[in-house]
Amino acid sequence: MKTSRIPGFYKMTVEARRELLEEMHSFSNDDKEILSKEALSTETADKMIENVIGTFSLPLGLGLNFLINGKEYVVPMAVEEPSIVASASYIAKIVRESGGFTAEATERVMIGQIQVVGCPDIHAAKAAILKEKEALIEDANAAYPSMVARGGGAVDLEVRILNEESGSTYSQMLVIHVYIDTRDAMGANIINTMVESLAPTVEELTNGKVYLRILSNYADKCLARARCVIPPELLKSDGFSGEEVREGVIHAYEFAASDPYRAVTHNKGIMNGIDPIVIATGNDWRAVEAGAHAYAAKDGQYGSMTTWFADEDGNLVGELELPMSVGTVGGAIRVHPMAKLSHSLLDVESAQELAQVIVSVGLAQNLGALKALVTDGIQKGHMALHSRSVAIAAGASGELIDIIAKQLVEEKQIRVGKAKELVDSYIK
Ligand code: NDP
């Protein structure tokens, strides 16, 4: 049976983990090859971007224990920072004991923007566009008929006037929003093609000049939400009752909700969970990052992406809602072999489902950080895991890595300088 609960996975060798996955996921020979060899060839890389001189690898780990809407998910996470995968898996284990995450996604409507300047009469220009709204939507769809055939395509159009009172011809402008259902694609290229195709007609209708024709990464009509409800008894940890942890998490949330200096760090911790899946699945993490941080400021002040509170039964409730412009097709997804493998591991059927998994992991990651912060502090777990990177940075290799990492933790001196001393003492 496919499960994300694999006790002792972290203690296995990489080889044993791969074998287990091969059994559980009926990997093809191609999948096995991808895991054991250089995934992205220089030849393919050279076709992906410009001026290629090589490839850059990241560790790919698995977030385990994720139960979301009753379905098991093994979550591929590409990330260099220690403790992220362990922390997400640890919280997912707690949450699954209280029934798992619930998640949902809105319809996938993305926004294409067209900027029009220099309209002799900006209100007449707006009216002209709105009068031809249906024809413009049809024209946009004619530029990408395959999206309509999939049940998507342009679905609506709005017009905004920016800086109406401004006397400056630079700042006053008309902005057309074309709303486009991009189905299972992130949609940047689809949207850009559609809005570019409308530019000549828009200039004719407005007597203005079109400059920008591009998607907005503020995808606030393409949202995903995750929620978890955790009884306090599941939150207790060494020396801390569940109630104490719950109260600490809520206080930590209120801090982030009220102070941008804290909120940025709080939200970075959420993106610690989100970016690794976005990267592993070949999606555009800059687009997701930009949209997520903008959404955290939607109420006028940059604040917490998550919300934490206690319900009337004393459970800790966490919620996360974010724009999630990710795809299961398009871009690098079908080009990068590791992205293809990640999709096959995740086994999601749609971009909406992928978005739901991503926000659930973000919520777990946030609780992992907050729980550590309000109990032992972040350094205890983090530095112990970081000690191996410190040992490698100091020149340790092979078995020496774990020996030195252990010694650094025991001596409570997780520093490269100390690690170098230890490496020298072993090599001499
Ligand atoms: P693609 O240009 O690869 O388009 C996706 C393609 O997938 C579609 O054209 C469609 O082709 C095909 N497809 C197959 N099945 C489906 C399905 N079920 N649903 C939807 N499409 C399907 O990618 P995107 O348009 O998604 O663009 C994403 C890329 O754009 C990313 O690499 C991103 O980095 C980049 N980008 C991002 C920008 C930004 O964020 N500001 C700006 C510009 C680019 P067909 O219909 O022909 O079958």
Side-chain angles (χ1 to χ4, degrees):
M1 197 193 74
K2 202 183 275 185
T3 174
S4 65
R5 175 97 188 85
I6 315 176
F9 193 69
Y10 71 101
K11 291 189 211 145
M12 294 177 181
T13 62
V14 173
E15 203 41 55
R17 289 181 196 140
R18 284 175 180 165
E19 275 166 23
L20 188 71
L21 281 174
E22 282 166 16
E23 268 171 44
M24 284 172 52
H25 286 266
S26 333
F27 271 9
S28 67
N29 285 335
D30 280 357
D31 289 336
K32 290 180 198 168
E33 185 120 341
I34 290 165
L35 272 183
S36 57
K37 288 199 177 143
E38 182 199 30
L40 181 64
S41 69
T42 308
E43 203 184 347
T44 308
D46 193 33
K47 303 281 179 290
M48 291 173 74
I49 66 162
E50 310 74 39
N51 298 352
V52 164
I53 56 162
T55 58
F56 183 95
S57 303
L58 282 174
L60 183 76
L62 292 184
L64 298 179
N65 305 319
F66 277 92
L67 184 67
I68 304 166
N69 294 338
K71 181 172 168 183
E72 299 276 356
Y73 292 94
V74 166
V75 182
M77 300 176 82
V79 66
E80 84 296 347
E81 188 178 334
S83 89
I84 287 177
V85 175
S87 171
S89 305
Y90 166 63
I91 296 297
K93 192 169 157 210
I94 293 176
V95 175
R96 74 183 283 130
E97 282 179 48
S98 59
F101 294 89
T102 49
E104 58 181 22
T106 60
E107 49 184 4
R108 292 184 55 74
V109 176
M110 297 282 289
I111 302 166
Q113 295 192 298
I114 304 173
Q115 178 199 30
V116 197
V117 303
C119 302
D121 179 340
I122 203 151
H123 290 282
K126 178 176 175 177
I129 294 290
L130 289 176
K131 188 159 170 274
E132 292 303 316
K133 174 173 155 171
E134 294 308 323
L136 286 163
I137 290 173
E138 247 176 64
D139 287 354
N141 283 328
Y144 225 111
S146 56
M147 216 41 65
V148 183
R150 287 194 181 89
V155 289
D156 201 1
L157 180 153
E158 277 179 357
V159 187
R160 299 157 61 210
I161 296 173
L162 299 191
N163 308 316
E164 187 175 351
E165 302 307 328
S166 165
S168 160
T169 51
Y170 284 113
S171 59
Q172 193 186 77
M173 66 191 79
L174 203 70
V175 177
I176 302 169
H177 278 195
V178 185
Y179 297 105
I180 301 167
D181 178 345
T182 58
R183 302 273 94 184
D184 290 316
M186 179 264 195
N189 294 321
I190 297 166
I191 296 163
N192 296 345
T193 305
M194 284 181 156
V195 289
E196 281 191 8
S197 77
L198 298 184
T201 316
V202 166
E203 286 190 340
E204 252 175 57
L205 289 170
T206 59
N207 292 314
K209 175 154 179 55
V210 167
Y211 277 102
L212 272 60
R213 300 138 291 158
I214 185 160
L215 87 155
S216 166
N217 286 115
Y218 191 41
D220 64 349
K221 294 189 184 308
C222 180
L223 300 171
R225 303 181 190 102
R227 188 171 205 267
C228 62
V229 180
I230 311 171
E233 59 268 23
L234 293 179
L235 290 168
K236 65 172 180 276
S237 63
D238 290 350
F240 297 90
S241 72
E243 284 75 13
E244 280 175 310
V245 175
R246 180 195 64 202
E247 294 305 290
V249 168
I250 297 171
H251 281 294
Y253 153 69
E254 292 290 349
F255 184 6
S258 321
D259 176 23
Y261 286 94
R262 172 60 206 148
V264 172
T265 322
H266 176 96
N267 292 341
K268 186 272 180 186
I270 295 169
M271 302 315 285
N272 272 348
I274 288 178
D275 287 343
I277 321 174
V278 176
I279 293 169
T281 55
N283 274 289
D284 185 335
W285 74 93
R286 287 87 54 207
V288 171
E289 278 274 349
H293 289 287
Y295 201 65
K298 69 179 186 311
D299 299 324
Q301 179 183 305
Y302 185 85
S304 170
M305 291 173 183
T306 49
T307 310
W308 294 97
F309 58 95
D311 70 10
E312 55 201 17
D313 298 321
N315 299 313
L316 177 68
V317 182
E319 292 173 345
L320 173 61
E321 176 184 90
L322 285 178
M324 203 40 71
S325 55
V326 290
T328 53
V329 294
I333 295 164
R334 298 283 161 92
V335 181
H336 197 303
M338 211 55 129
K340 281 194 267 184
L341 183 93
S342 292
H343 281 272
S344 115
L345 273 172
L346 264 172
D347 193 23
V348 292
E349 281 171 17
S350 64
Q352 281 170 316
E353 192 183 340
L354 175 60
Q356 291 172 29
V357 175
I358 294 172
V359 285
S360 300
V361 180
L363 186 59
Q365 204 73 56
N366 185 219
L367 182 56
L370 296 186
K371 187 169 181 289
L373 282 167
V374 302
T375 56
D376 295 327
I378 206 98
Q379 289 304 73
K380 190 177 167 197
H382 188 86
M383 291 309 277
L385 291 166
H386 181 54
S387 61
R388 283 184 298 198
S389 300
V390 172
I392 296 167
S397 61
E399 287 174 357
L400 205 52
I401 297 171
D402 279 340
I403 294 169
I404 289 185
K406 193 162 166 253
Q407 232 170 311
L408 293 172
V409 174
E410 278 167 6
E411 294 183 27
K412 295 196 171 106
Q413 290 203 59
I414 305 169
R415 302 182 288 106
V416 175
K418 177 69 190 170
K420 276 195 175 135
E421 278 174 31
L422 293 171
V423 171
D424 287 348
S425 72
Y426 277 100
I427 289 172
K428 274 173 197 162

